[in-house]
Amino acid sequence: MYVSDCLGVNEKGHLTVSGCDTVDLAKEYGTPVIVYSEDQIRQNCRDFVSSIDENYGGNGMVLYASKAFCCKKMCRICKEEGMGLDVVSGGELYTAIDAGFPTEKIYFHGNNKTVAELVYAVEHGVGRVVVDNIFELERLDKIAHDLGKKVKILLRIKPGIDAHTHDFIRTGQIDSKFGFALETGEAMDAVVKAISFTNIELVGLHCHIGSQIFDIDPFELAAKVMLEFMADIKQDKGIEFKELNLGGGFGIKYLKTDAPRPFTEYMKKVACVVKETCKALNLDMPFVLIEPGRSIVGAAAVTLYTVGAVKKIPDVRTYVSVDGGMTDNPRYILYQSKYEILCANKANEERSETVTVAGKCCESGDLVQEWAPLQKVEPGDILAVLSTGAYNYSMASNYNRVPRPPVVMVKDSKPELAIRGESFSDMVKNDL
Ligand code: LLP
């Protein structure tokens, strides 16, 4: 019935997350609040891990892309589930280290890592630095030299794939700020340069073609293109890389009508392409990595708000205002992202109205959703926006000095605070 297995409705007609009554959670923790099903997150992690084991015979690893939702609790879950981690900033790296995440299983991404970030990463022995550009390659070689270390790296390659998704989240094509282009010869030049450095060990390649992708074909194509490039390198330079990181990007269900293919199907099909291409090109099977973010956490959370003002503008529309908005979910204002919304305390009632759910910021564009079906609501009702687990909290802001909401995780029907909500005093804590 819903976009995620962890959702249900109890005998009171209230929406539940992993069996926990969301109306009770709203009372206990206040609103807005983001509620995750830890059970669902762990199940997703396990499904990915067993899928990579099955399809690559254990010769691979799942890295959780922590940009989707990063906090110490999430890092601990990934550690316990035997996964690695993709981090993209000093802050994400710090969170992982602070949570006790094994640094050798951390892959450090980013198109403009600072000297301080690279030094921090090298000092803590991160598993791989995924190098984005020549400037970074030179910078990293020097840093490694100064610290007396040899750093294992991957090169980020743009395989020239045009995955059909929102423009802002497409990254595999030539006009992208990320990585080295294949078509122009830039990628081969980077390989030549990387192997000439003595403080760096180039162990493989990485690509990521975009996010919220439903088709499997672009992933298959990307794997093929990357392996063909590896074969070219083997032929021209006599080097055979051991690692291939195929990135993340698997689409999830935001609307009931969304029909993403199960990622197990993706894993199977891509693994087939990898095996066949390796055979055809006479390459050894590389160690394969994937980096799911959204598909681990996206559909595993809901955001709960309290309805405030309901403004009916005759012949125009009805605005239902809530106590959060673009500060905890900027995805509508950024990408016009679609969400299912329902009244958590009237979850069994029909969604008979069509409304615009508005946030509380001083910004006309601060909308959570327009023209959304919703039950007839009144002030004090609890609204639930579904599938808000990825790129919501992690992209939250303090615009209008609105404190970030708390994050709760439900495991075995028991809620536990994972991130405290911010207070007004947090809003001024860095002010001088
Ligand atoms: N690996 C790399 C190198 C990435 O850049 C990303 C996402 C991922 C993995 C994880 O992709 P996922 O499995 O989550 O699709 N803020 C946007 C999404 C930006 C994605 C950035 N990179 C949104 O809210 O839709």
Side-chain angles (χ1 to χ4, degrees), residues 41 151 162 187 202 211 243 253 271 276 306 322 325 366 391 402 411:
I41 293 175
V151 181
D162 185 0
L202 178 58
S211 197
E243 262 185 47
K253 221 169 155 72
E276 279 165 16
T306 301
V322 295
D366 175 20
Y391 306 107
V402 174
K411 183 166 180 267

Side-chain angles (χ1 to χ4, degrees), residues 55-56 215-224 227 244 246 250 263-277 285 288 290:
N55 288 294
Y56 295 98
D215 291 347
I216 297 185
D217 312 6
F219 291 113
E220 290 179 312
L221 190 57
K224 191 157 181 284
L227 287 164
L244 177 60
L246 294 170
F250 325 115
F263 67 79
T264 41
E265 195 184 328
Y266 151 86
M267 294 293 285
K268 211 183 219 154
K269 288 199 162 168
V270 173
C272 260
V273 170
V274 171
K275 284 174 206 159
E276 279 165 16
T277 314
M285 270 292 283
V288 174
I290 53 159

